[in-house]
Amino acid sequence: MTIKVKHINVNGAFFEASTPSVMHNNRAFCYGDALFETMHAYQDEVHFFAHHYKRLSESMQKLGMCMPTMMSQEFLHNQIISLLKKNRIYKGSRIRLSIYRNSGGYYTPDTNNISFLIETQELENIQYGFQEKGLQLGIFKDIYKPINKLSSLKTANSMLFVMAGLFKKAQHLDDCIILNEQEIIVETISSNIFLVRGSHISTPPIADGCINGVMRNNIIEIAKSMNYYVTDNVSISLDYIQNVDEIFLTNAVKGIQWVLGFGNKRFFHDASASILLKLNEKIFNLK
């Protein structure tokens, strides 16, 4: 039996995943001085890659990182596809692209030049699936998410979400809601959140501190095309949950996940099921 060796891509070079490939003074490790994009791919296409690349470029600019001239959208896409082929992944796949400022300096960097690291993980399904059992959702109140220019970025400084993950595990939950400093709903541990009431769908605004999710933005477009009235610029309080018919979560890897319960409240999943069908049609050109 041939053992499948897994590789990663660091600055365009392949390394066995089990081989150390970054130094002890890597700024992502020392200071969380890094960004990342998590993406979904199939065969030779990274889905919504133009959106991911745009968010990455804008985030790097906000953090003062220098985008190398050679690091075009086409270059990065080709680097990801080359790694998928190297790892012989032919089904759906989860991609993580990390961008970190090069080593040097302490809190104040010596350089704004960057390096990149790409990882791949094979998924069971090609398309986005709809889980048989809905999620049980809780609420994390130990730490509030601050509202500032970094709130919408996907950075390596993720301790808030790590602590929320530990809380989720201890409480035997599937996910939990993150609140901002005003105790307003922001997102969940790894997803944006949508709340459905009749034909009205609400999702927290970027101004309240949520991640500017690529899947979030595509789901908003799809829902509007299906004649849902979508609100993405109005704050959502915890009390509003008691008045909704449905809650679903979105991210680039899992697509849409529906929520069964929050405390004693139970929800339907009609809107999320129909929007998921449209999402798969859009990505995989299904008829």
Side-chain angles (χ1 to χ4, degrees):
M1 178 178 177
T2 302
I3 299 176
K4 190 175 179 180
V5 178
K6 186 175 180 181
H7 294 82
I8 60 174
N9 181 331
V10 181
N11 292 331
F14 296 125
F15 296 88
E16 291 188 11
S18 59
T19 302
S21 54
V22 294
M23 296 294 291
H24 65 91
N25 60 345
N26 181 284
R27 291 190 63 84
F29 171 72
C30 293
Y31 304 108
D33 190 3
L35 295 161
F36 69 95
E37 288 287 324
T38 308
M39 298 164 278
H40 187 280
Y42 171 58
Q43 293 186 342
D44 61 350
E45 182 180 1
V46 182
H47 301 127
F48 305 121
F49 188 70
H51 300 202
H52 285 286
Y53 184 82
K54 182 175 184 291
R55 181 172 66 176
L56 182 67
S57 301
E58 291 173 349
S59 299
M60 289 176 64
Q61 186 175 14
K62 284 185 179 180
L63 295 183
M65 294 178 172
C66 294
M67 175 74 81
T69 304
M70 59 84 177
M71 195 179 287
S72 65
Q73 180 177 315
E74 181 181 12
F75 171 84
L76 274 181
H77 190 276
N78 289 340
Q79 290 295 315
I80 292 170
I81 299 306
S82 295
L83 182 60
L84 287 173
K85 292 179 179 178
K86 181 75 172 177
N87 284 331
R88 291 180 290 172
I89 296 178
Y90 307 113
K91 296 183 179 180
S93 56
R94 177 186 187 273
I95 312 297
R96 177 172 167 129
L97 166 64
S98 298
I99 302 287
Y100 50 91
R101 209 181 316 255
N102 287 341
S103 302
Y106 297 104
Y107 286 120
T108 305
D110 285 345
T111 178
N112 288 319
N113 293 331
I114 60 93
S115 293
F116 69 85
L117 188 155
I118 306 171
E119 305 163 76
T120 61
Q121 178 184 351
E122 190 171 51
L123 302 175
E124 291 184 5
N125 301 313
I126 295 172
Q127 299 175 21
Y128 290 116
F130 201 67
Q131 83 270 21
E132 294 182 6
K133 182 180 178 182
L135 305 181
Q136 188 65 37
L137 197 62
I139 180 168
F140 181 64
K141 288 187 174 182
D142 292 352
I143 306 171
Y144 295 121
K145 188 175 186 182
I147 304 173
N148 55 46
K149 65 183 281 187
L150 304 182
S151 301
S152 64
L153 309 186
K154 297 192 71 170
T155 74
N157 187 353
S158 303
M159 192 53 66
L160 164 62
F161 303 105
V162 171
M163 297 307 294
L166 291 173
F167 171 84
K168 174 197 75 172
K169 186 175 181 180
Q171 297 297 317
H172 305 289
L173 299 166
D174 296 304
D175 208 330
C176 54
I177 293 172
I178 305 295
L179 304 176
N180 66 19
E181 296 160 321
Q182 300 169 357
E183 297 196 24
I184 296 297
I185 294 174
V186 176
E187 57 205 355
T188 67
I189 295 173
S190 59
S191 302
N192 290 110
I193 184 169
F194 288 77
L195 301 95
V196 184
R197 186 178 182 183
S199 60
H200 186 188
I201 298 179
S202 301
T203 191
I206 301 300
D208 282 349
C210 72
I211 295 293
N212 187 13
V214 168
M215 185 59 71
R216 170 189 182 273
N217 296 329
N218 279 279
I219 293 302
I220 289 172
E221 289 184 7
I222 290 171
K224 287 180 177 179
S225 73
M226 297 172 66
N227 296 320
Y228 284 102
Y229 178 74
V230 182
T231 302
D232 63 350
N233 59 357
V234 178
S235 298
I236 304 174
S237 68
L238 279 172
D239 293 338
Y240 186 68
I241 291 180
Q242 300 305 319
N243 301 315
V244 304
D245 307 313
E246 186 171 344
I247 297 176
F248 62 87
L249 312 181
T250 66
N251 65 45
V253 174
K254 295 185 178 179
I256 294 174
Q257 293 181 287
W258 65 280
V259 173
L260 172 63
F262 176 79
N264 295 322
K265 177 79 172 176
R266 294 294 178 266
F267 304 99
F268 300 108
H269 55 271
D270 298 328
S272 52
S274 60
I275 294 172
L276 179 65
L277 287 174
K278 291 293 184 181
L279 173 64
N280 277 325
E281 287 177 9
K282 179 177 181 177
I283 294 179
F284 299 101
N285 298 316
L286 301 176
K287 302 296 183 182

